[in-house]
C-alpha cells in the first residue's frame, strides 16, 4: 500500500480525523480595527450577480469584497516592514504550508489574564516534555479565545487602553523567529500579536520578528481545543494573490485517533 492510499484509507475509516480550524466567514466575522489616524481593512461583503433570476436563470453567483486580513487568514512576510523584501502570499512554497503542529496550551492562564504572554521559557518547557520542535512546524497558541468569537466586543476585548488579548512577548517572538524548525505561528485571536503589543519594544513583535524571518502568521483559528499538543499535521490554504500581503485561508488539521 502506498503512503497516499494509506492516508486515504485512514481518512475514510476515521482513524485520521480532519479538524477544521477555520472561522466561518461572513459580514459579522470580527476583524482587526486600528485606531485613528490609521486606515482599516474591510470585512466580507457579497454582491449578487444573479440568483436563479432573469440575470442568470439557472445559476447563482456573487461578487466578493474582502480584505486580505479578514477572518482566519495568513500573514505573508511583505505584510510588515521587516519583511517588505520577502515573499508575497503567492510566492510562499506550498511545502511550507503543510507541516507538523506544536500546540502550546495556556488556556487556564489566558482565562485568568487576558494579557497573558508566551515567553521563551514556555517553548523550552514544551521541548523538554515532548522533544525538539519538528522541522517545518507550525506553533499554535491555544488560549480558548475562540469561544468569544460570537461577539465582536468580547473577541476584541477593548477598553480605554486598547484591546486586551493574549499573545507572545518580544522575547518569545524573537525566540520563534530564530528557531530554524518553525514555519509559522497561529493564534485564536484577531491578530498574531497581543492586544497590547503596540506598547512593546519593538511594537508588534510577532509581526516584526516572524515576518522579517520568512515565517508566517495565522489568526482567528477555531477548534484548537480538539488538537493534541503533539502529533497532528496542519494544512494552510490561502489564495495565491499575486503581490498579496496575506489572504483569507481554509485551515485543517489531520489528527490521528488514539
Amino acid at each position: 500500500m502506498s503512503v497516499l492510499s494509506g492516508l486515504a484509507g485512514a481518512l475514510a475509516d476515521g482513524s485520521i480525523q480532519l479538524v477544521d480550524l477555520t472561522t466561518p466567514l461572513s459580514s459579522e466575522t470580527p476583524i482587526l480595527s486600528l485606531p485613528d489616524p490609521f486606515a482599516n481593512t474591510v470585512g466580507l461583503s457579497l454582491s449578487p450577480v444573479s440568483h436563479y433570476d432573469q440575470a442568470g436563470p439557472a445559476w447563482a453567483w456573487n461578487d466578493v469584497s474582502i480584505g486580505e486580513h479578514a477572518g482566519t487568514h495568513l500573514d505573508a512576510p511583505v505584510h510588515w516592514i521587516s519583511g517588505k523584501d520577502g515573499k508575497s502570499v503567492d510566492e510562499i512554497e506550498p511545502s511550507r504550508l503543510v507541516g507538523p503542529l506544536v500546540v502550546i496550551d495556556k488556556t487556564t492562564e489566558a482565562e485568568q489574564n487576558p494579557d497573558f504572554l508566551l515567553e521563551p521559557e514556555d517553548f523550552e518547557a514544551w521541548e523538554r516534555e515532548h522533544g525538539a520542535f519538528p522541522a517545518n512546524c507550525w506553533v499554535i497558541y491555544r488560549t480558548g479565545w475562540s469561544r468569544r468569537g460570537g461577539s465582536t466586543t468580547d473577541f476584541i476585548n477593548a477598553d480605554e487602553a486598547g484591546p486586551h488579548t493574549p499573545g507572545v512577548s518580544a522575547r518569545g517572538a524573537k525566540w520563534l523567529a530564530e528557531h530554524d524548525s518553525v514555519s509559522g505561528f497561529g493564534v485564536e485571536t484577531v491578530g498574531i500579536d497581543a492586544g497590547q503589543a503596540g506598547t512593546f519594544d519593538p511594537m508588534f513583535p510577532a509581526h516584526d520578528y516572524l515576518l522579517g524571518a520568512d515565517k508566517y502568521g495565522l489568526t482567528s483559528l477555531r477548534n484548537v481545543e480538539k488538537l493534541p499538543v503533539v502529533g497532528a499535521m496542519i494544512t494552510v490554504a490561502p489564495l495565491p494573490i499575486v503581490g498579496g500581503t496575506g489572504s483569507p485561508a481554509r485551515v485543517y488539521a489531520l489528527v490521528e485517533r488514539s
Side-chain angles (χ1 to χ4, degrees):
M1 179 181 295
S2 71
V3 172
L4 287 178
S5 61
L7 174 60
L11 290 169
D13 67 21
S15 55
I16 291 180
Q17 180 183 12
L18 274 177
V19 178
D20 192 351
L21 303 180
T22 316
T23 296
L25 191 54
S26 75
S27 60
E28 304 301 315
T29 302
I31 62 172
L32 188 68
S33 179
L34 300 176
D36 291 336
F38 304 113
N40 278 293
T41 191
V42 298
L44 174 72
S45 62
L46 299 178
S47 300
V49 177
S50 68
H51 192 78
Y52 320 118
D53 51 21
Q54 186 174 2
W59 56 89
W61 54 351
N62 302 300
D63 287 331
V64 176
S65 174
I66 190 170
E68 295 171 319
H69 298 266
T72 301
H73 67 270
L74 180 139
D75 290 342
V78 294
H79 176 47
W80 209 253
I81 191 169
S82 58
K84 64 184 179 64
D85 296 320
K87 298 185 183 87
S88 54
V89 68
D90 60 301
E91 296 172 327
I92 297 173
E93 302 92 332
S95 61
R96 297 286 302 278
L97 301 175
V98 179
L101 278 173
V102 166
V103 178
I104 310 292
D105 188 356
K106 297 295 179 182
T107 304
T108 299
E109 291 83 350
E111 288 175 349
Q112 296 171 350
N113 175 16
D115 293 315
F116 183 82
L117 302 177
L118 287 174
E119 298 285 357
E121 293 79 9
D122 296 306
F123 306 128
E124 291 162 357
W126 192 98
E127 289 194 306
R128 284 195 300 273
E129 183 174 358
H130 302 288
F133 282 7
N136 196 38
C137 71
W138 284 73
V139 177
I140 303 299
Y141 184 18
R142 180 156 65 206
T143 59
W145 204 261
S146 63
R147 292 195 294 263
R148 297 169 173 251
S151 165
T152 297
T153 299
D154 292 343
F155 193 68
I156 303 301
N157 196 38
D159 60 17
E160 63 279 358
H164 296 274
T165 58
V168 61
S169 73
R171 290 176 60 241
K174 188 171 187 290
W175 191 98
L176 286 173
E178 293 176 348
H179 200 300
D180 291 340
S181 294
V182 174
S183 275
F185 177 60
V187 299
E188 297 179 64
T189 50
V190 74
I192 60 171
D193 268 295
Q196 290 291 298
T199 67
F200 296 178
D201 184 19
M203 292 193 303
F204 307 104
H207 285 82
D208 190 85
Y209 285 125
L210 289 163
L211 302 185
D214 190 36
K215 300 180 190 297
Y216 318 121
L218 274 179
T219 76
S220 297
L221 298 175
R222 290 198 175 181
N223 296 318
V224 176
E225 71 280 359
K226 297 179 181 180
L227 300 177
V229 297
V230 64
M233 298 282 292
I234 194 169
T235 298
V236 183
L239 297 172
I241 302 167
V242 176
T245 71
S247 169
R250 195 72 182 261
V251 183
Y252 293 100
L254 283 78
V255 178
E256 188 172 0
R257 289 186 174 175
S258 57

